[in-house]
């Protein structure tokens, strides 16, 4: 086994990936947690976000082609450039009222984010060995939510005196632009899969470079496989609430309340994901038990929360409140609903990443599953922000969310309850890895194997 280097260790790779997640999507989330990117009204920004997620979904799903072509590191680097462009567009709109740049920036962000999320998902799931995926996933999500935490603190510090409705300070967006631009050079620090070193000495599996046609065939096979196809509805609905949440904050809360929401939701989301990640990684329970219990807890809690959200929103339909501030009557009830929605949504996201991580190995296989996860859920967000770009009733938006979410749980439960604890076999003498990180075609018939516990779904 090669001499272990901290810079090449999986921990170092997760820290690098986490910092990038903090700077790019973490701050993007902080901005959107303000409600409509801090704008006066949600409709234009919701339309921009809808475009972001439409393109993001397409490029997430197609990202295995790019990863197989240029490698996971270069795909990640390309995926970091669009976030600051979109923040710059929001700044222009906030300060000068420029509208066309919002849509152009959204297009750049959508393409870039599509490449980023699939590459990032493949990294955080394929680099660690199976026994440590839960804790490393929690570390990565903790970094990502810390981006929202830092962004939320900036939001709160710059807008704490804004006790009325309206736009947030444009200085907030300037800070975000500078910080998000730093993600691009930081991505160059990541190690290629063949250079990264696991603590147990096992190599990271990387598929041989193949044609686009072959990759598309494998992608289609993955999408229609029994283990994935029943999960596609819950992929679509798990982030469908975000368009509603953005509109909710913009319509009913003061500027500083929106800043406080951005800050507190990051804290609660980070703590919840870390604790949940520890449970998902527990060696005391079988993988099957953790998958089933994690589903019941995260998705059950999310379902119950929607009942509360509907009740709160129905009250707003009867009598729309003035912009709710910290000392407004009814603030705690309405504000708490938003914080819980964001927190539980992060738990569901954490769980789905863990779930797809148990269904495969290697950068390419996991780029397909995570690409489908992020791609399909991005299309859900596209539809959600599309609804939010109109003046459609927020209450009926909650009804749509509840119906779609509840229906999606049925096929997801069917898929999850087919999980069995099985044993995969990985060759002891793994194929040689060339300087580009691509494995050479095997020539031997079948090598001896070592056991690696993981979960598989019955076909």
């Amino acid at each position: 086994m090669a001499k272990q280097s901290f810079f090449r260790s999986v921990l170092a790779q997760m820290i690098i990936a986490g910092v990038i997640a903090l700077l790019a999507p973490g701050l993007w989330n902080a901005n959107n947690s303000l409600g409509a990117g801090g704008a006066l009204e949600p409709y234009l920004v919701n339309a921009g976000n809808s475009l972001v997620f439409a393109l993001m979904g397409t490029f997430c799903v197609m990202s295995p082609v790019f990863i197989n072509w240029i490698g996971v590191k270069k795909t990640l680097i390309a995926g970091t450039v669009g976030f600051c462009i979109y923040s710059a567009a929001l700044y222009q709109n906030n300060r000068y009222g420029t509208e066309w740049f919002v849509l152009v920036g959204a297009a750049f962000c959508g393409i870039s984010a599509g490449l980023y999320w699939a590459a990032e998902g493949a990294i955080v799931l394929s680099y660690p060995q199976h026994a440590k995926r839960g804790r490393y996933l929690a570390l990565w999500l903790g970094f990502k939510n810390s981006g929202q935490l830092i962004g939320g603190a900036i939001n709160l510090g710059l807008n704490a005196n804004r006790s009325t409705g309206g736009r947030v300070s444009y200085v907030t967006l300037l800070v975000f632009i500078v910080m998000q631009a730093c993600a691009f050079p930081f991505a160059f620090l990541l190690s290629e899969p063949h250079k990264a070193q696991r603590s147990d000495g096992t190599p990271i599996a990387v598929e041989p470079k193949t044609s686009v046609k072959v990759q598309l065939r494998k992608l289609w096979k993955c999408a229609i496989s029994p283990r994935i196809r029943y999960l596609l509805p819950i992929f679509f609905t798990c982030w469908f609430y975000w368009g509603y949440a953005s509109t909710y904050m913009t319509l009913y809360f003061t500027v500083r309340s929106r800043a406080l929401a951005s800050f507190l939701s990051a804290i609660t989301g980070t703590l919840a994901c870390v604790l949940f990640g520890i449970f998902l990684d527990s060696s005391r329970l079988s993988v099957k038990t953790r998958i089933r219990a994690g589903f019941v807890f995260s998705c059950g809690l999310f379902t119950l929360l929607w009942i509360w959200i509907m009740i709160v929103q129905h009250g707003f339909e009867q009598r729309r409140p003035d912009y709710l501030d910290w000392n407004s009557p009814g603030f705690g009830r309405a504000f708490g609903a938003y914080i819980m929605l964001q927190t539980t949504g992060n738990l569901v996201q954490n769980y789905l990443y863990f779930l797809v991580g148990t269904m495969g190995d290697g950068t390419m296989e996991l780029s397909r599953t995570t690409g489908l996860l992020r791609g399909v859920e991005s299309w859900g967000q596209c539809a959600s922000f599309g609804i939010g770009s109109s003046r459609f009733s927020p209450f009926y938006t909650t009804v749509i969310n509840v119906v779609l979410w509840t229906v999606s749980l049925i096929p997801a439960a069917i898929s999850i309850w087919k999980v069995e604890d099985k044993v995969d076999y990985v060759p002891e003498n793994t194929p040689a890895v060339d300087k580009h990180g691509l494995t050479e075609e095997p020539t031997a018939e079948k090598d001896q194997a070592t056991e690696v516990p993981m979960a598989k779904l019955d076909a």
Side-chain angles (χ1 to χ4, degrees):
M1 185 175 67
K3 183 180 178 181
Q4 294 287 321
S5 164
F6 177 75
F7 182 71
R8 300 296 185 189
S9 68
V10 172
L11 176 59
Q13 307 316 304
M14 294 303 103
I15 292 174
I16 292 170
V19 172
I20 296 170
L22 183 157
L23 293 172
L27 293 177
W28 193 94
N29 289 346
N31 194 14
N32 273 271
S33 294
L34 287 169
L40 175 64
E41 290 189 329
Y43 308 111
L44 173 64
V45 178
N46 280 347
N49 286 343
S50 182
L51 179 58
V52 167
F53 290 116
L55 292 170
M56 176 177 158
T58 302
F59 277 82
C60 269
V61 171
M62 297 300 296
S63 63
V65 175
F66 294 95
I67 292 176
N68 189 254
W69 176 32
I70 62 176
V72 67
K73 179 177 179 178
K74 291 180 181 177
T75 304
L76 178 70
I77 292 171
T80 61
V81 298
F83 293 94
C84 61
I85 296 176
Y86 191 35
S87 292
L90 294 178
Y91 164 79
Q92 282 288 112
N93 176 252
N94 181 294
R95 188 171 185 183
Y96 302 110
T98 308
E99 296 185 353
W100 64 267
F101 193 19
V102 172
L103 299 180
V104 173
F108 275 104
C109 185
I111 295 170
S112 180
L115 298 175
Y116 166 81
W117 278 113
E120 186 83 337
I123 291 165
V124 299
L125 292 177
S126 68
Y127 277 43
Q129 56 264 41
H130 282 277
K132 295 184 177 181
R133 278 185 180 165
R135 72 194 71 174
Y136 280 129
L137 182 60
L139 175 66
W140 168 67
L141 287 171
F143 266 106
K144 182 171 75 72
N145 287 340
S146 295
Q148 185 176 337
L149 177 63
I150 294 171
I154 294 170
N155 287 335
L156 190 58
L158 293 175
N159 297 282
N161 62 340
R162 306 284 300 282
S163 59
T164 60
R167 298 180 175 88
V168 302
S169 169
Y170 63 79
V171 179
T172 308
L173 296 171
L174 282 176
V175 176
F176 285 1
I177 293 167
V178 173
M179 294 180 69
Q180 286 176 324
C182 295
F184 176 73
F186 208 87
F188 285 88
L189 298 177
L190 186 80
S191 295
E192 295 280 7
H194 67 286
K195 293 182 179 179
Q197 298 172 339
R198 289 174 172 172
S199 58
D200 62 358
T202 58
I204 298 171
V206 183
E207 289 182 8
K209 190 172 183 179
T210 55
S211 67
V212 172
K213 184 178 180 180
V214 170
Q215 285 301 316
L216 292 176
R217 187 184 305 122
K218 289 183 177 182
L219 177 62
W220 175 250
K221 185 177 179 181
C222 177
I224 65 173
S225 64
R227 63 185 184 177
I228 293 295
R229 67 180 180 226
Y230 290 121
L231 296 174
L232 294 179
I234 200 171
F235 290 174
F236 185 86
T237 58
C238 66
W239 276 110
F240 193 83
Y241 73 90
W242 239 37
Y244 166 75
S246 178
T247 301
Y248 178 83
M249 287 304 296
T250 308
L251 292 179
Y252 303 125
F253 292 87
T254 63
V255 170
R256 66 180 185 180
S257 296
R258 290 155 65 180
L260 180 64
S262 176
F263 180 68
L264 287 183
S265 61
I267 296 176
T268 57
T270 300
L271 290 176
C273 284
V274 169
L275 294 174
F276 194 42
I278 293 173
F279 165 75
L280 292 175
D281 220 27
S282 173
S283 59
R284 297 182 180 181
L285 301 173
S286 67
V287 176
K288 177 177 66 175
T289 301
R290 282 177 271 153
I291 287 175
R292 292 181 179 180
F295 173 75
V296 172
F297 175 74
S298 61
C299 297
L301 184 62
F302 199 50
T303 305
L304 293 175
L305 179 63
W306 270 113
I307 299 174
W308 183 18
I309 296 292
M310 289 184 69
I311 293 172
V312 172
Q313 185 60 57
H314 184 265
F316 288 166
E317 296 294 307
Q318 300 300 310
R319 180 182 178 276
R320 173 171 174 168
D322 295 328
Y323 287 110
L324 295 171
D325 195 38
W326 302 344
N327 55 0
S328 301
F331 171 79
R333 180 169 175 261
F335 188 80
Y338 176 83
I339 297 297
M340 284 297 297
L341 183 64
Q342 291 283 32
T343 303
T344 313
N346 274 284
L347 284 180
V348 173
Q349 178 82 167
N350 193 356
Y351 171 75
L352 290 177
Y353 262 92
F354 177 81
L355 176 63
V356 300
T358 64
M359 296 180 180
D361 203 1
T363 55
M364 284 308 306
E365 186 175 2
L366 287 170
S367 74
R368 285 188 283 271
T369 54
T370 57
L372 285 168
L373 167 59
R374 287 298 293 159
V376 174
E377 72 182 18
S378 295
W379 287 331
Q381 288 171 288
C382 169
S384 176
F385 278 106
I387 293 172
S389 67
S390 67
R391 298 181 183 271
F392 189 73
S393 165
F395 176 72
Y396 288 118
T397 303
T398 65
V399 174
I400 293 172
N401 271 274
V402 170
V403 172
L404 291 179
W405 171 253
T406 305
V407 170
S408 74
L409 293 177
I410 299 171
I414 293 173
S415 175
I416 290 165
W417 253 255
K418 287 184 177 181
V419 171
E420 296 293 343
D421 288 313
K422 293 186 177 180
V423 173
D424 267 4
Y425 293 92
V426 179
E428 269 182 2
N429 302 315
T430 55
V433 180
D434 66 21
K435 65 179 180 180
H436 302 293
L438 301 174
T439 54
E440 297 175 0
E441 294 290 348
T443 55
E445 293 232 341
K446 190 174 183 180
D447 295 308
Q448 292 180 338
T450 55
E451 294 186 353
V452 179
M454 60 185 291
K456 284 291 184 184
L457 290 174
D458 290 333

